[in-house]
Amino acid sequence: MTRKFFGTDGIRGLTNTPPMTAETALKVGQAAGAHFLRGDHRHRVVIGKDTRLSGYMIESALVAGFTSVGMDVVLLGPMPTPAVAMLTRSMRADLGVMISASHNPFADNGIKLFGPDGYKLSDEDELAIEARLERRPDLSQPEKIGRAKRIDDARGRYVHFAKSTFPERLRLDGLKIVIDCANGAAYHVAPDALWELGADVVALATNPNGVNINDACGSTHPEGLQERVVAEGADIGLALDGDADRLIVVDETGRVIDGDQLMALIALDQQRKGELRGEAVVATVMSNLGLERRLDSAGLRLERTKVGDRYVLEAMRSLGCNVGGEQSGHIILTDYSTTGDGLVAGLQILAAMVDQGKPASELLRQFDPVPQLLKNVRFAGGAPLETDSVRRCIADAEAELGSKGRLVIRKSGTEPLIRVMAEGDDEAQVHDVVDRICAAVEAA
């Protein structure tokens, strides 16, 4: 069956434009709710959201959909994606929903679904829900319509959980930390958790107004964080995205640290403590070749998947690994979470800093990255990657890079973009290869 609604990370799009409309959200609530009506217990769905203006509209439509098929709804308000996954499990819910478009601008929104185990839905579940979206909903009898309630202590529950992942023998006393919350879902919980662990906290982008989420702030725009870390003389800076499932770090010199270096540090620190499982780290095809070489030098493997944190997690579960993620900052630590968690990943970095007594600039330079360049080409339709001219250009580039580099070209699963990435030991060659392919795609 061809997917019409679900992409690589749920349903996402421009608000009030199909598929991201109130009508679709209503139907998703009805279809997903009916799909998870299993057994004779009272069924429950947990719904969280980030701080987008459209979150109110999508939330209301989902509530109407779920209650109309007999599901009770628990509303969390603005909460990180990993908090929704955690609370879905802890509240014994049948389903969890996060309303967010992650790092995208405020005008976009999305719907992510979690099963009762807190993991993102399988392809089979998503396809089954898609099939229901095309049918008339199975509405409940009037006496069985669901109820909705909002819980007030969700924020405290998640802060307590996040702090529990930080070693009890350690504290953050004496560390000055700048945290950029992207005016998003973690604008309260992240600064609170760091302060409660003893840190001197400088909080940025913690005043969401519905339209400023990810706006020149957060993990995709770390420039302001870099400046503030240096100006404050801080020990480290942490940047989350709109739904707080990804993390980018800035060291005390103002240098940006990506997810590859974070995975390397966490994996090697766990290996040092005998806590790393699977003798490997799982990452995507976009992770730097330098990470692979660094892990190999420590006797570990880098297992690569296609792009998307769900695919990383699937591989982690099948291989028995507990550290994985993406270069973009999705760090998945299955000892603690069932999805990427920017705050929890940040706490593991801070724990390593305190435990090893080293500055961020030293600790987070685990390897020298191989020159790598990623460019995006926007396209309006068609299949530019299928044209003969683009195929010839790609084949020539692969032959030119040979065994000294890699080439990854793919369509984005969330935006109308062709992503072109190359890496290799010769930086000039890498730039030339990427520019040639981008020009070929644009011409096509």
Side-chain angles (χ1 to χ4, degrees):
M1 177 181 173
T2 302
R3 289 172 176 267
K4 181 179 177 181
F5 295 95
F6 286 94
T8 56
D9 196 17
I11 302 170
R12 188 179 297 187
L14 181 64
T15 307
N16 274 346
T17 301
M20 195 42 55
T21 64
E23 180 183 12
T24 299
L26 172 69
K27 291 180 178 179
V28 169
Q30 292 172 329
H35 180 68
F36 280 92
L37 287 175
R38 303 165 182 175
D40 57 2
H41 62 280
R42 191 72 190 175
H43 291 80
R44 176 184 296 165
V45 57
V46 171
I47 301 180
K49 61 182 179 179
D50 64 22
T51 57
R52 294 165 207 272
L53 179 61
S54 59
Y56 294 99
M57 177 185 76
I58 301 299
E59 179 185 63
S60 297
L62 284 168
V63 170
F66 282 118
T67 54
S68 73
V69 296
M71 265 202 167
D72 291 338
V73 178
V74 176
L75 296 170
L76 306 178
M79 289 290 286
T81 289
V84 174
M86 183 272 291
L87 289 166
T88 299
R89 296 195 318 275
S90 70
M91 297 188 70
R92 309 301 192 268
D94 300 276
L95 185 64
V97 182
M98 179 63 183
I99 305 167
S100 175
S102 191
H103 60 283
N104 287 22
F106 88 93
D108 292 341
N109 216 330
I111 300 171
K112 303 180 186 181
L113 301 178
F114 295 91
D117 57 1
Y119 288 97
K120 290 180 180 178
L121 298 190
S122 66
D123 290 338
E124 292 75 19
D125 279 326
E126 288 184 349
L127 287 172
I129 292 170
E130 286 228 357
R132 286 181 177 272
L133 288 170
E134 305 293 338
R135 305 200 304 260
R136 183 185 296 273
D138 300 321
L139 300 179
S140 292
Q141 294 298 313
E143 69 275 9
K144 293 184 178 180
I145 290 174
R147 301 172 184 270
K149 67 176 293 185
R150 191 172 300 273
I151 61 172
D152 298 323
D153 65 341
R155 188 181 302 163
R157 294 190 196 193
Y158 176 67
V159 169
H160 176 75
F161 156 75
K163 288 167 51 186
S164 73
T165 72
F166 191 82
E168 287 190 8
R169 61 186 177 83
L170 302 178
R171 292 179 56 87
L172 295 177
D173 297 65
L175 280 185
K176 190 172 190 178
I177 302 169
V178 183
I179 176 79
D180 182 341
C181 299
N183 288 314
Y187 75 99
H188 270 306
V189 295
D192 287 353
L194 296 173
W195 177 81
E196 289 183 22
L197 288 169
D200 179 3
V201 181
V202 178
L204 307 181
T206 57
N207 295 292
N209 60 14
V211 300
N212 62 359
I213 185 172
N214 300 315
D215 184 14
C217 57
S219 63
T220 52
H221 301 281
E223 300 81 13
L225 177 63
Q226 290 175 274
E227 294 177 6
R228 193 63 178 271
V229 166
V230 174
E232 293 280 349
D235 297 284
I236 194 170
L238 308 177
L240 306 173
D241 67 337
D243 67 336
D245 67 351
R246 72 167 71 186
L247 169 74
I248 292 295
V249 173
V250 170
D251 70 18
E252 77 278 9
T253 71
R255 184 170 62 93
V256 175
I257 313 295
D258 67 15
D260 285 344
Q261 296 282 1
L262 305 184
M263 284 187 283
L265 170 60
I266 292 172
L268 294 170
D269 190 55
Q270 289 202 2
Q271 183 190 41
R272 177 179 65 87
K273 296 183 291 187
E275 297 173 358
L276 186 70
R277 298 200 307 272
E279 298 300 314
V281 171
V282 180
T284 75
V285 293
M286 303 300 288
S287 278
N288 194 275
L289 188 59
L291 171 61
E292 187 171 344
R293 292 172 177 173
R294 176 66 181 95
L295 294 175
D296 182 67
S297 71
L300 302 174
R301 306 184 317 279
L302 179 65
E303 297 284 352
R304 293 186 185 270
T305 73
K306 58 184 177 179
V307 172
D309 60 326
R310 63 181 295 176
Y311 303 113
V312 172
L313 184 55
E314 287 173 4
M316 291 175 68
R317 297 177 76 181
S318 65
L319 296 169
C321 297
N322 59 343
V323 177
E326 297 185 282
Q327 187 184 64
S328 61
H330 283 122
I331 309 298
I332 304 175
L333 306 173
T334 53
D335 287 345
Y336 310 118
S337 302
T338 56
T339 188
D341 191 321
L343 177 57
V344 168
L347 290 175
Q348 310 320 302
I349 299 297
L350 295 171
M353 282 181 62
V354 174
D355 203 20
Q356 298 186 36
K358 296 178 180 179
S361 57
E362 178 182 348
L363 203 60
L364 291 168
R365 189 72 178 189
Q366 291 292 324
F367 62 89
D368 292 323
V370 171
Q372 184 184 82
L373 179 65
L374 169 66
K375 287 190 175 182
N376 297 319
V377 182
R378 188 168 293 275
F379 70 104
L385 295 181
E386 303 301 318
T387 62
D388 290 340
S389 59
V390 173
R391 285 179 168 178
R392 282 195 302 271
C393 186
I394 292 172
D396 291 344
E398 288 176 334
E400 187 177 328
L401 289 170
S403 61
K404 294 183 179 180
R406 294 190 312 122
L407 186 63
V408 179
I409 301 169
R410 66 182 186 88
K411 286 176 62 177
S412 168
T414 57
E415 301 175 84
L417 300 173
I418 302 293
R419 304 195 190 278
V420 181
M421 189 277 280
E423 64 179 352
D425 294 321
D426 185 336
E427 186 170 5
Q429 181 186 51
V430 166
H431 280 257
D432 181 59
V433 161
V434 170
D435 288 341
R436 290 202 321 258
I437 295 174
C438 287
V441 172
E442 288 173 346

